[in-house]
Amino acid sequence: MTLPAPAPIYYSKRLRLYLSDLWSRREFVWFLAIGNFKARNASTALGLFWWVLNPLLLSLVYYLVFGVLFDVGRDIIYLMAGMFVFHFTSQSLTGGANAVLQNSKLLANLRFPRIILPIANLIEATLGFLVSLGVLLVIAMLAGLPGLRDLEWSSGLPGPGFFLLLIIIPLQLMFNLGLAAIAARLAVPFRDINNFIPYLNRIWLYLSPIIWPLSFLDDRPVMGRFAEWNPMFALISVYRTALINYEFQPRMLLYSAVWSLVVFVVGVGLFVRYEGNIVRHL
Amino acid sequence: MSTRPAILVEDVSVRFRPYVDRKPTLRRSLGRLRHREQEEVIALDGVSFRVAKGEAYGIIGRNGAGKSTLLRCIAGTLRPNSGKVVVNGKLSTLLQLGVGFNPELSGHRNIYLGALAAGLRKKEIDQIFDDIVEYADLGSAIDRPVKTYSSGMFSKLAFSVSMHLDPDVLLLDEVLAVGDVAFRAKSMKTMQELLDKSGTIVFVSHSLESVEGFCDRVLWLQDGRVMAEGDSVEVVGLYKEAATGSTKNA
């Protein structure tokens, strides 16, 4: 039996100990994530479909409002690709803070590396995201996008751009975890942050190239100059190359990597340094 | 080795800074100690004691006296502002029942979740799984979602998981009165077995009879300070005196 020895060591000061503790708890992380995933899917009639339905319905709503009503952009596959990717990150941002706030019982009673909670939440969101990516590819194929014909998708041979997923998904995972950790770090002592996050998500959505086409920036030089600073701009661009065969811009991959690494290191660092104080604020 | 105490608490103080706009969890745990005007709330103030191996140690006191805060310090989930806490041995906490359980999932699944949360490996749980199920004695309900359980059934499952973690030190917060009469007798017997193996039990309870009957020594906390500590019959007697005195005044 290996119950953790509760010596008065506080993780934050010893990174190696923290990491080995985290690694020894990997089964717990997995069970927590799968458990939450199952539980969430069991409690609604449509279950797993909501993972797809949420961004899908959101895409349709924005397509109707901006694509049809305001005639900003007509390409729904473009919109969906952006929306699904954005939804994954915004879910992590919302879920990261909640994962800590809603597990006060667990936190107050048991010792474990606290980052486990945002990680489990991220795994749960990732499962949903992967399902939604699959659906997106099917829809894109059905829509008969010329890009997909170029990829010879129907013959089961993915094009070279598709393999960018192997880089961009891990990068987005790091980005999301860092973001979730920052949200949790701030929301535990300041609950107000939780009320603010939906608005942050909303404005971030509008500032990202999702509901407006890239050509939208051409006659807006000021916005155009700053648009690329948005980490979602870079991430979504790479995803569009991978999923719907948009032109590959190495610059965007570089931006994605830099953003992800910085947010990951800063977010996780802030969280781990703070986590000894979480129970005090629950 | 045997001279080392199982638990050593030295001059432990915990202060909270409650904010009015925060979720009430913190305030609830502080209970009556809360004063909005006050900037800082002292939950524990220089508490010291030690618990020997094989000892059953009770903690009593009114709501908000700091009992749960003290257990959290021993469990290592709350860092005291000052003072030292040392626990020798593997610790199992039952501060609240069913920690780590997910009510939407089956009892089966929750045994794994609860035990993994407590720090076991999956392989180890595989080995004790049948014992946990048998001890909890829930029959076919073990495959039903835990949200369909009665509170007694829930407690039985949670208690069974905690007892099978094979702890050296067991922390119990007001969870002795679980299940039906038969299960209560069984749980008492299990705890006695733990003590006989020179395990240690710390438990917080408002049931003075069970504290008096079960514990060797008792600590009485009030407003975060130790009022009395020592022989269980003696301390419980003092506490009762004070309690009836204050109700008469009120």
Side-chain angles (χ1 to χ4, degrees):
Chain A
M1 261 348 128
T2 48
L3 280 171
I9 297 162
Y10 284 92
Y11 301 117
S12 51
K13 286 170 191 151
R14 307 187 185 189
L15 188 64
R16 266 190 61 193
L17 201 71
Y18 191 86
L19 290 177
S20 74
D21 205 5
L22 185 60
W23 178 245
S24 72
R25 293 301 203 108
R26 60 194 181 279
E27 289 165 339
F28 176 46
V29 178
W30 186 247
F31 264 71
L32 203 59
I34 298 296
N36 289 341
F37 191 72
K38 278 189 180 169
R40 200 158 308 192
N41 294 329
S43 55
T44 52
L46 290 176
L48 192 60
F49 287 108
W50 278 113
W51 280 106
V52 182
L53 272 180
N54 274 332
L56 203 64
L57 291 176
L58 216 55
S59 304
L60 284 176
V61 168
Y62 281 109
Y63 183 70
L64 284 177
V65 175
F66 293 96
V68 179
L69 230 55
F70 290 108
D71 204 21
V72 177
R74 285 270 185 179
D75 189 348
I76 190 160
I77 304 287
Y78 168 94
L79 193 154
M80 277 197 310
M83 190 65 87
F84 283 29
V85 172
F86 179 82
H87 190 68
F88 183 30
T89 290
S90 77
Q91 283 264 305
S92 307
L93 185 59
T94 318
N98 285 335
V100 175
L101 292 175
Q102 288 169 358
N103 276 304
S104 54
K105 206 170 156 183
L106 204 56
L107 291 162
N109 285 280
L110 296 170
R111 281 192 58 179
F112 55 88
R114 303 323 197 180
I115 196 86
I116 280 178
L117 294 174
I119 291 178
N121 182 73
L122 179 65
I123 292 174
E124 190 195 344
T126 307
L127 296 174
F129 177 61
L130 292 178
V131 174
S132 73
L133 276 193
V135 171
L136 177 71
L137 284 171
V138 171
I139 293 175
M141 265 192 285
L142 291 178
L145 215 82
L148 273 171
R149 275 189 231 115
D150 295 343
L151 284 171
E152 296 183 46
W153 187 257
S154 48
S155 63
L157 292 169
F162 187 76
F163 289 105
L164 278 173
L165 285 183
L166 297 177
I167 308 171
I168 197 66
I169 291 178
L171 284 178
Q172 197 188 4
L173 286 174
M174 286 169 63
F175 183 72
N176 288 357
L177 183 62
L179 216 54
I182 293 171
R185 164 67 184 87
L186 294 175
V188 170
F190 312 109
R191 302 292 155 102
D192 316 62
I193 297 289
N194 245 8
N195 298 327
F196 175 67
I197 286 177
Y199 300 101
L200 182 72
N201 272 332
R202 186 68 58 92
I203 192 76
W204 200 3
L205 172 72
Y206 293 149
L207 291 176
S208 302
I210 297 168
I211 50 178
W212 41 265
L214 293 170
S215 59
F216 185 72
L217 294 175
D218 292 346
D219 41 339
R220 288 172 181 76
V222 181
M223 192 178 169
R225 190 176 306 157
F226 294 105
E228 289 190 6
W229 293 19
N230 173 1
M232 278 326 283
F233 191 102
L235 284 165
I236 288 173
S237 298
V238 179
Y239 268 105
R240 286 208 175 104
T241 304
L243 296 171
I244 52 177
N245 215 18
Y246 269 59
E247 190 197 345
F248 178 53
Q249 296 167 290
R251 184 172 93 253
M252 290 301 158
L253 188 58
L254 179 70
Y255 291 173
S256 300
V258 171
W259 267 114
S260 300
L261 279 169
V262 169
V263 170
F264 176 77
V265 170
V266 170
V268 174
L270 284 175
F271 184 89
V272 171
R273 282 170 66 98
Y274 174 72
E275 70 172 41
N277 294 314
I278 288 177
V279 171
R280 195 177 299 275
H281 291 294
L282 288 176
Chain B
M1 271 296 280
S2 56
T3 53
R4 279 205 305 178
I7 300 169
L8 176 72
V9 173
E10 240 175 47
D11 200 23
V12 163
S13 295
V14 173
R15 297 184 298 275
F16 289 110
R17 259 178 220 278
Y19 289 97
V20 181
D21 59 349
R22 251 184 220 157
K23 271 185 144 186
T25 329
L26 170 73
R27 280 182 247 149
R28 210 184 301 139
S29 67
L30 288 168
R32 293 189 189 165
L33 255 177
R34 175 171 63 97
H35 296 293
R36 281 190 185 183
E37 318 73 76
Q38 205 172 312
E39 240 232 329
E40 245 183 8
V41 164
I42 297 167
L44 289 177
D45 188 5
V47 174
S48 302
F49 62 92
R50 52 177 65 202
V51 183
K53 283 179 183 165
E55 196 174 23
Y57 196 82
I59 300 174
I60 55 173
R62 298 197 324 218
N63 290 331
K67 305 185 296 289
S68 297
T69 305
L70 182 55
L71 279 193
R72 285 174 181 183
C73 289
I74 301 172
T77 60
L78 179 64
R79 174 167 27 187
N81 293 76
S82 63
K84 192 166 87 169
V85 179
V86 179
V87 178
N88 292 308
K90 292 173 298 182
L91 186 84
S92 167
T93 52
L94 206 53
L95 305 191
Q96 283 167 298
L97 278 174
V99 168
F101 281 18
N102 188 328
E104 299 285 341
L105 304 174
S106 68
H108 184 119
R109 191 88 190 168
N110 272 307
I111 290 176
Y112 277 93
L113 259 178
L116 283 167
L120 257 60
R121 298 288 180 84
K122 188 174 170 295
K123 240 189 302 174
E124 294 167 332
I125 305 168
D126 290 338
Q127 284 165 12
I128 56 171
F129 181 81
D130 291 336
D131 295 338
I132 294 177
V133 172
E134 197 190 311
Y135 189 93
D137 193 22
L138 294 171
S140 61
I142 200 75
D143 293 318
R144 289 207 323 247
V146 163
K147 67 178 174 188
T148 65
Y149 287 17
S150 70
S151 60
M153 290 161 76
F154 184 87
S155 311
K156 279 165 131 184
L157 184 66
F159 188 80
S160 179
V161 171
S162 275
M163 289 312 297
H164 284 87
L165 299 175
D166 192 27
D168 298 321
V169 178
L170 183 64
L171 306 180
L172 302 169
D173 192 352
E174 201 64 65
V175 288
L176 271 185
V178 301
D180 43 39
V181 178
F183 189 80
R184 221 176 294 182
K186 188 160 81 171
S187 60
M188 278 298 186
K189 189 167 153 273
T190 314
M191 286 193 286
Q192 195 56 57
E193 280 166 15
L194 176 70
L195 293 173
D196 293 342
K197 284 193 300 182
S198 90
T200 307
I201 296 178
V202 175
F203 89 94
V204 165
S205 180
H206 287 289
S207 160
L208 296 176
E209 292 77 40
S210 55
V211 171
E212 210 169 353
F214 190 73
C215 296
D216 308 309
R217 287 192 302 139
V218 171
L219 177 84
W220 169 20
L221 274 183
Q222 185 157 324
D223 299 336
R225 267 186 289 260
V226 179
M227 295 295 281
E229 198 238 4
D231 177 71
S232 58
V233 180
E234 218 170 279
V235 176
V236 169
L238 283 171
Y239 176 68
K240 273 183 186 161
E241 229 169 80
T244 46
S246 67
T247 29
K248 269 175 204 160
N249 293 341

